[in-house]
Amino acid sequence: MEFQSTLVSQSSEIEKAEFYKKTYLHVGLAILAFAGLEYLLLFNIPEDYIIAMVSNRISWLFILGLFWLGSTLANKWTLSQSKNVQYLGLLFYIVLEAVIFLPLIYMAIVYTNGIEVLKQAAIMTGMLFAGLTALAFFSNRDFSFLKNVIVIGGFLALGLIVVAAIFGFNLGLWFSLGMVILASASILYETQKLKDVYTPNQYVGASLQLFASIMLLFWYILRILSSRK
């Protein structure tokens, strides 16, 4: 199969519409796959194993490191010229997200208002994502400046997370609020990037980037709601 090198912004309106449809379809399927896999993990992984993931600071740092390395690899795969490799990358990333979310969702269910807090976090994430997507598509604003904000903010956040894990302190509500803002900026930037960076055949890679930003947003909204219970 020969891949197109023309960017989405240079493509016909029909090609653009097809690219957007496939991208958001894959985002939706990734979310459904994540939810299904998370359900299976919650009811098949022993509680002791789930708690052990976060009970030791060093083991949690190790898991975060593996997640980062795996995410980098998955992103590289989804931009491959092979469709099979692209889907392998997306599937691999969904598995990574399901594993990293496991202790957070377990604690949200066990120590807060059960499944209700998950529903609230999912609804809030979906509404915020829809609003940010509409803003990126229908406003004439240029969000490319957010790239530096996201990169710098990401490194600062990663540093704080590592320090907090090593010394055992809670980053608190303000950090979670800051990460919600950072994830929102990432959604705006990644949405605008769709037409300027990708070719019409790279909808799998584009969907991974959006899915990753949604999961980051969901993570910190869930943390905020869980901390209030």
Side-chain angles (χ1 to χ4, degrees):
M1 180 177 180
E2 196 168 311
F3 270 56
Q4 297 168 272
S5 58
T6 304
L7 295 176
V8 172
S9 60
Q10 300 166 330
S11 303
S12 67
E13 293 302 317
I14 294 176
E15 287 176 321
K16 288 180 183 177
E18 189 67 15
F19 170 77
Y20 292 137
K21 183 177 77 172
K22 288 180 177 178
T23 297
Y24 284 96
L25 174 62
H26 281 73
V27 171
L29 291 174
I31 292 171
L32 289 176
F34 165 80
L37 183 56
E38 197 68 56
Y39 179 85
L40 291 175
L41 291 176
L42 281 169
F43 287 94
N44 288 280
I45 302 296
E47 293 182 9
D48 291 346
Y49 288 9
I50 299 175
I51 295 172
M53 290 176 66
V54 291
S55 60
N56 184 286
R57 297 195 296 268
I58 301 303
S59 65
W60 183 239
L61 273 178
F62 180 71
I63 291 170
L64 289 177
L66 289 179
F67 175 79
W68 180 79
L69 289 173
S71 301
T72 302
L73 182 60
N75 181 61
K76 182 178 179 180
W77 284 348
T78 56
L79 296 177
S80 166
Q81 290 193 345
S82 167
K83 268 288 184 285
N84 290 335
V85 175
Q86 288 181 20
Y87 281 108
L88 176 63
L90 181 58
L91 179 61
F92 182 49
Y93 188 76
I94 293 168
V95 172
L96 289 174
E97 287 284 6
V99 171
I100 205 77
F101 261 89
L102 188 57
L104 178 63
I105 291 180
Y106 170 80
M107 289 186 286
I109 292 174
V110 173
Y111 298 111
T112 63
N113 191 20
I115 204 72
E116 189 62 32
V117 72
L118 292 176
K119 291 180 181 178
Q120 292 175 7
I123 291 171
M124 290 177 67
T125 301
M127 292 178 64
L128 190 50
F129 174 68
L132 291 167
T133 301
L135 178 62
F137 269 112
F138 300 117
S139 72
N140 294 319
R141 300 183 63 180
D142 181 9
F143 295 106
S144 59
F145 71 93
L146 291 174
K147 179 179 180 180
N148 290 334
V149 174
I150 295 165
V151 171
I152 295 170
F155 276 113
L156 286 174
L158 182 61
L160 287 171
I161 290 169
V162 170
V163 171
I166 292 174
F167 294 102
F169 62 84
N170 193 327
L171 289 169
L173 177 62
W174 287 107
F175 178 79
S176 294
L177 288 171
M179 291 303 295
V180 167
I181 294 172
L182 188 66
S184 299
S186 179
I187 289 171
L188 282 174
Y189 176 68
E190 293 297 339
T191 303
Q192 188 174 69
K193 248 176 62 177
L194 292 178
K195 64 180 185 297
D196 298 324
V197 173
Y198 299 102
T199 65
N201 283 309
Q202 291 181 315
Y203 48 85
V204 179
S207 67
L208 182 145
Q209 296 300 323
L210 285 173
F211 175 65
S213 298
I214 293 169
M215 289 294 99
L216 181 64
L217 181 63
F218 179 56
W219 176 283
Y220 283 100
I221 287 178
L222 181 57
R223 282 198 59 175
I224 291 170
L225 293 179
S226 298
S227 68
R228 296 173 57 194
K229 300 298 180 178

